[in-house]
């Protein structure tokens, strides 16, 4: 799950995200197991789109 927050807002916690999703009746297998806050997402210089392949490489720890 990727959530970008505006600067100056408080950090999300795993408990808060899980509680929200449970309140929305999300299936248990869809609840996140971990939360990794990051300063910024990798973006394309021209269109400012999130570069998914770079995000996977950097944060997943499984892609080589």
């Amino acid at each position: 799950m990727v959530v970008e927050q505006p600067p100056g807002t408080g950090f999300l916690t795993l408990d808060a995200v899980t509680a929200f999703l449970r309140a929305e009746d999300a299936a248990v297998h869809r609840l996140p197991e971990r939360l990794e806050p990051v300063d910024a997402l990798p973006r394309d210089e021209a269109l400012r789109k999130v570069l998914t392949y770079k995000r996977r490489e950097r944060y997943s720890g499984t892609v080589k």
Side-chain angles (χ1 to χ4, degrees):
M1 175 186 294
V2 175
V3 178
E4 188 170 17
Q5 292 186 277
T9 60
F11 288 104
L12 287 175
T13 64
L14 182 59
D15 291 336
V17 172
T18 304
F20 173 79
L21 292 173
R22 285 184 188 271
E24 295 292 317
D25 293 326
V28 174
H29 69 275
R30 293 196 179 263
L31 298 177
E33 296 176 359
R34 64 183 179 163
L35 181 70
E36 296 180 33
V38 296
D39 292 329
L41 296 172
R43 292 189 177 271
D44 176 70
E45 292 296 324
L47 300 175
R48 303 296 300 152
K49 290 186 175 183
V50 174
L51 298 174
T52 304
Y53 71 95
K54 284 194 176 183
R55 180 185 53 85
R56 284 189 189 123
E57 289 173 357
R58 188 178 301 170
Y59 302 114
S60 73
T62 58
V63 177
K64 296 184 184 199

